[in-house]
Amino acid sequence: MAQPVIRVFPDLERLSREAAKQFMRLAQQQVQVSGRFSVALSGGSTPRRLYELLASEPYRNRIPWDQVHVFWADERCVPFDHPDSNFRQAFELLLSRVPLPPVNVYRIPADQGDPVSAAASYEQTLRAFFRLEPNSWPEFDLVLLGLGADGHMASLFPRSVALRETHRFVVATRGGAPDLPRVTLTIPVLNHATHLLWLVAGAEKSSVIRDVLTGPEHPDELPAEMIHPVRGNSMWLLDRAASSLLQRSPSHDPRR
């Protein structure tokens, strides 16, 4: 199992620029290899700048958008035009500003009113897109993840029964701020991604970054500790404030 790569940047702006470069590099590389690039986006405040950058030059014209397929790691059960919608954020900042075919956007149908049905519907979407055989898992080319101050990622919260799911791709859950019903990819799906790119910024994340990356492990309390890619890799992009409690080591790559 590959060790995670940890890279530290002075601020969110430079962190976001590196994330945009990684997105572009992986998209170009994967389209050359397989003819398409599958990515699962995340919500929250940290990726906002990344989405803005991807919709601007040079990234807008260097990413093969017609072969990019966009999914979500999780969604709140609100209307798609609601301020808390992860889809709305990505659509307004990114998807509506790049030449991405609408048929390449696979949003979680979380506005249906029934989170369980929405989860089942999205699981079928994943099965069809990845053309899965029985007992196989989706393998996203890239999943973007953030980290909550409580150690959650996507909508996988501490002590949630969703953390113990070992068969389904997508489940209904509840939690977070605001405390809402949600739909989320499960731990095994995240662990089968080829590339996991974590974006974490802010001093309020420094203690949870230390605990998640340096242990000891308490996965039921810190769900992010459950992410151990099966064949892929994890890269953590941190700003200096979020990394402030980490001891510097050769695995870190400070950007001064």
Side-chain angles (χ1 to χ4, degrees), residues 188-235:
V189 173
L190 300 181
N191 278 332
H192 278 81
T194 303
H195 299 278
L196 290 162
L197 191 62
W198 299 79
L199 313 179
V200 189
E204 70 278 8
K205 305 290 181 66
S206 59
S207 60
V208 71
I209 280 287
R210 176 200 59 203
D211 294 344
V212 168
L213 292 179
T214 65
E217 290 197 4
H218 300 287
D220 201 48
E221 299 295 325
L222 295 171
E225 293 183 339
M226 301 179 73
I227 301 304
H228 301 291
V230 175
R231 289 180 294 276
N233 60 74
S234 282
M235 178 180 288

Side-chain angles (χ1 to χ4, degrees), residues 104-125:
N104 289 12
V105 177
Y106 307 82
R107 60 189 186 184
I108 299 174
D111 64 337
Q112 293 181 348
D114 180 357
V116 174
S117 295
S121 175
Y122 209 54
E123 177 150 341
Q124 290 305 310
T125 296

Side-chain angles (χ1 to χ4, degrees), residues 76-120:
R76 301 177 178 100
C77 293
V78 295
F80 290 131
D81 59 354
H82 191 279
D84 291 325
S85 166
N86 290 342
F87 169 81
R88 175 181 173 175
Q89 174 176 277
F91 182 80
E92 291 183 347
L93 298 178
L94 173 60
L95 305 182
S96 63
R97 302 180 181 212
V98 297
L100 178 74
V103 294
N104 289 12
V105 177
Y106 307 82
R107 60 189 186 184
I108 299 174
D111 64 337
Q112 293 181 348
D114 180 357
V116 174
S117 295

